[in-house]
Amino acid sequence: MNKSLEDYLKNIYSLQISAGKVTTTLLADRLNISPAAVSDMVSKLSKSGHIKNTPYKGFDLTKKGETIALNLIRKHRLWEVFLLEYLKYPWENVHSDAENLEHASSDDLILKLEKFLGFPKFDPHGHPIPDKNGKVNKEKTIAAADLNIGEAAVIRQVSDESSEVLIYLSKIGLKLNDEIKVLEKINFDNSLQIHFRSGNIFLSEKLA
Amino acid sequence: MNKSLEDYLKNIYSLQISAGKVTTTLLADRLNISPAAVSDMVSKLSKSGHIKNTPYKGFDLTKKGETIALNLIRKHRLWEVFLLEYLKYPWENVHSDAENLEHASSDDLILKLEKFLGFPKFDPHGHPIPDKNGKVNKEKTIAAADLNIGEAAVIRQVSDESSEVLIYLSKIGLKLNDEIKVLEKINFDNSLQIHFRSGNIFLSEKLA
DNA sequence: TAAAAATGTTAAGTTTGCTTAAGTTTATTT
DNA sequence: AAATAAACTTAAGCAAACTTAACATTTTTA
């Protein structure tokens, strides 16, 4: 399986989750390459039936493309579990090494790894792990920023792509499945004051 | 680290162990590419100081090249241990998946994997695992074919590159560290009759 | 030892996935 | 709605790692 193809599809997948149709610049920024390169590849992926493209308008995955993307995400998340639980990686470092391993793993290897890990359902950041047929448990989640004052919630997921954020969260002691409650919204800078287990903290807009 | 570079160096390493100076065709056959491609890369690797090349005569690794080769072999063998012992791979299948994982593993990942595995000294085929500084325990070994009649020996290594051979060995029940004794050499086809734990078997020339 | 065979190198061309530059299309502003 | 800006695509070109074909060197062998 081609690394470049897989990376395109995986990133299109995660962008379309947050943004619906994906645009050239968005993907180019994500992959750190020029928009021209993306445009080029997009027309190839379109011809090969992995995405559906409307020139100048955006594109999204076909079933065929989604299957490959989900399979790669499955590999990524299972490796993350292994790196954290067995190799004792710090929380914030699992992402980048899993990024390489995912492309080097046959489907059969991943089946065996999954069994070894005891068929985990979530990765260390709380994201669901697709099964071997590409089925995912889509949990309803909400961004902390979208909670109202006084509302309580449980931390189910954190974004795994910025290790700085994860370092900060471990420093303040915020963990997965912690319950939080929004105390105050500061309109000035869109930050939040929240309450959790051991006290009150502020979350900036981005983090929330 | 570049996959192609690593593969060249690793294969030069293993060829020079068995053959001294490595030739273009030998390496081309091993990598399944044209001699022209090898010739090309050889002059690059020579310029970059990874190998020492004498045109038309052959080439071998410099210290710098050997360090990279050994580090890759280290990664390969540690993954083999993991695949066999933890993921329960059949003996004969560990090689090909390790071949992919080795290129996708940072040095730090491999340190953590090594620790998790309990610092094994040999891979499942009996080959020594280089340490993080590239030190290898070179055991003296001898090919079965080079034993004399009546001589006994212990199986320490088997070649890991042909899964067919490994399947055959498990079928006849021959394992690492089994003691064998050469009963007879048949000059006709250079096969051997050997005795081990549970009986007598024939080994063809290639296998021996 | 000279011709033939085998092996090695160089040159020219291909593919993949990028880049920059130029040209299009769409969106925004006034 | 025309001008400007932003986003997108197309074109030309590059680097890596191949290929095949042509040429060079070394080895074999008659």
Side-chain angles (χ1 to χ4, degrees):
Chain A
M1 195 55 82
N2 181 322
K3 171 164 170 22
S4 182
L5 172 96
E6 289 180 333
D7 273 338
Y8 270 91
L9 297 178
K10 186 181 67 164
N11 283 290
I12 293 170
Y13 180 87
S14 73
L15 284 174
Q16 81 184 20
I17 292 236
S18 47
K21 263 204 177 170
V22 180
T23 67
T24 303
T25 327
L26 211 56
L27 185 53
D29 285 354
R30 174 69 80 99
L31 295 172
N32 263 300
I33 57 181
S34 69
V38 171
S39 221
D40 223 57
M41 181 62 86
V42 158
S43 70
K44 282 181 206 163
L45 291 177
S46 194
K47 271 182 201 126
S48 59
H50 291 102
I51 66 177
K52 181 155 185 345
N53 181 35
T54 314
Y56 292 99
K57 294 301 185 179
F59 42 89
D60 51 16
L61 296 175
T62 59
K63 196 73 207 157
K64 179 176 173 185
E66 194 185 74
T67 301
I68 296 174
L70 283 171
N71 196 230
L72 195 65
I73 288 168
R74 165 176 161 78
K75 294 179 180 183
H76 182 97
R77 293 182 178 166
L78 284 168
W79 277 121
E80 285 198 341
V81 172
F82 174 71
L83 295 179
L84 188 94
E85 292 185 7
Y86 291 85
L87 299 196
K88 309 299 179 194
Y89 268 58
W91 200 26
E92 63 272 16
N93 288 161
V94 297
H95 183 73
S96 70
D97 272 331
E99 197 77 6
N100 295 316
L101 291 170
E102 65 187 9
H103 298 289
S105 318
S106 66
D107 290 351
D108 182 55
L109 163 51
I110 291 299
L111 273 178
K112 294 193 161 84
L113 178 65
E114 185 182 34
K115 186 176 173 189
F116 170 74
L117 297 172
F119 299 93
K121 294 285 164 280
F122 297 92
D123 80 2
H125 310 97
H127 300 113
I129 297 174
D131 76 9
K132 64 172 189 278
N133 303 311
K135 288 243 163 63
V136 212
N137 265 351
K138 276 177 195 161
E139 255 195 281
K140 269 156 247 135
T141 56
I142 187 170
D146 296 334
L147 291 171
N148 292 317
I149 291 179
E151 276 194 298
V154 173
I155 304 281
R156 287 287 186 221
Q157 302 185 351
V158 296
S159 165
D160 62 344
E161 268 153 45
S162 157
S163 52
E164 283 167 39
V165 170
L166 295 175
I167 290 170
Y168 175 68
L169 292 181
S170 10
K171 218 174 79 188
I172 64 178
L174 196 60
K175 297 210 186 64
L176 278 192
N177 299 318
D178 277 358
E179 197 174 332
I180 61 170
K181 187 171 176 180
V182 175
L183 297 178
E184 201 177 347
K185 283 194 171 182
I186 295 135
N187 285 322
F188 170 62
D189 65 352
N190 286 316
S191 69
L192 299 178
Q193 191 179 16
I194 65 163
H195 172 85
F196 76 110
R197 270 186 300 108
S198 44
N200 295 348
I201 53 158
F202 284 96
L203 290 187
S204 68
E205 180 183 15
K206 261 187 108 171
L207 208 50
Chain B
M1 194 55 80
N2 181 322
K3 170 163 169 27
S4 182
L5 172 96
E6 289 180 333
D7 271 337
Y8 270 93
L9 297 178
K10 186 181 68 164
N11 283 290
I12 293 170
Y13 179 87
S14 73
L15 284 174
Q16 81 185 20
I17 291 236
S18 46
K21 264 204 175 169
V22 180
T23 66
T24 303
T25 327
L26 211 57
L27 185 52
D29 285 354
R30 175 69 80 100
L31 295 171
N32 262 299
I33 57 181
S34 69
V38 170
S39 222
D40 224 58
M41 181 61 87
V42 157
S43 70
K44 281 182 206 161
L45 291 177
S46 194
K47 271 183 199 126
S48 59
H50 291 102
I51 66 178
K52 182 156 183 343
N53 182 35
T54 314
Y56 291 100
K57 295 300 184 177
F59 42 89
D60 51 16
L61 296 175
T62 59
K63 196 73 208 158
K64 180 176 174 187
E66 193 185 75
T67 301
I68 296 174
L70 283 171
N71 195 232
L72 195 65
I73 288 169
R74 166 176 159 79
K75 294 178 180 182
H76 182 97
R77 294 183 178 166
L78 285 168
W79 277 120
E80 285 198 340
V81 173
F82 174 71
L83 295 179
L84 188 94
E85 292 185 7
Y86 291 85
L87 299 197
K88 308 300 178 192
Y89 268 58
W91 200 27
E92 63 272 15
N93 288 160
V94 297
H95 182 72
S96 70
D97 273 331
E99 197 77 8
N100 295 316
L101 291 170
E102 65 187 10
H103 298 289
S105 318
S106 67
D107 289 352
D108 181 54
L109 162 52
I110 290 299
L111 273 177
K112 294 194 162 86
L113 178 64
E114 186 182 32
K115 185 175 175 191
F116 170 73
L117 297 173
F119 299 93
K121 293 284 163 283
F122 297 92
D123 79 4
H125 310 97
H127 300 114
I129 297 173
D131 75 10
K132 64 171 188 278
N133 304 311
K135 287 242 165 64
V136 211
N137 266 351
K138 276 176 194 162
E139 256 193 282
K140 270 157 246 134
T141 56
I142 187 170
D146 296 332
L147 290 171
N148 292 318
I149 291 180
E151 276 193 299
V154 172
I155 306 281
R156 288 286 186 221
Q157 302 185 351
V158 296
S159 165
D160 62 344
E161 267 155 45
S162 157
S163 54
E164 284 167 39
V165 170
L166 296 174
I167 290 171
Y168 175 67
L169 292 181
S170 15
K171 216 174 79 187
I172 64 177
L174 196 60
K175 297 209 186 65
L176 277 192
N177 300 318
D178 276 359
E179 197 174 332
I180 61 169
K181 186 170 176 180
V182 175
L183 298 178
E184 203 177 345
K185 283 192 169 179
I186 294 137
N187 285 322
F188 170 62
D189 65 352
N190 284 316
S191 69
L192 299 178
Q193 192 180 14
I194 66 163
H195 172 87
F196 77 109
R197 272 187 300 106
S198 44
N200 296 347
I201 53 157
F202 284 95
L203 291 186
S204 67
E205 179 183 14
K206 262 187 106 170
L207 209 51

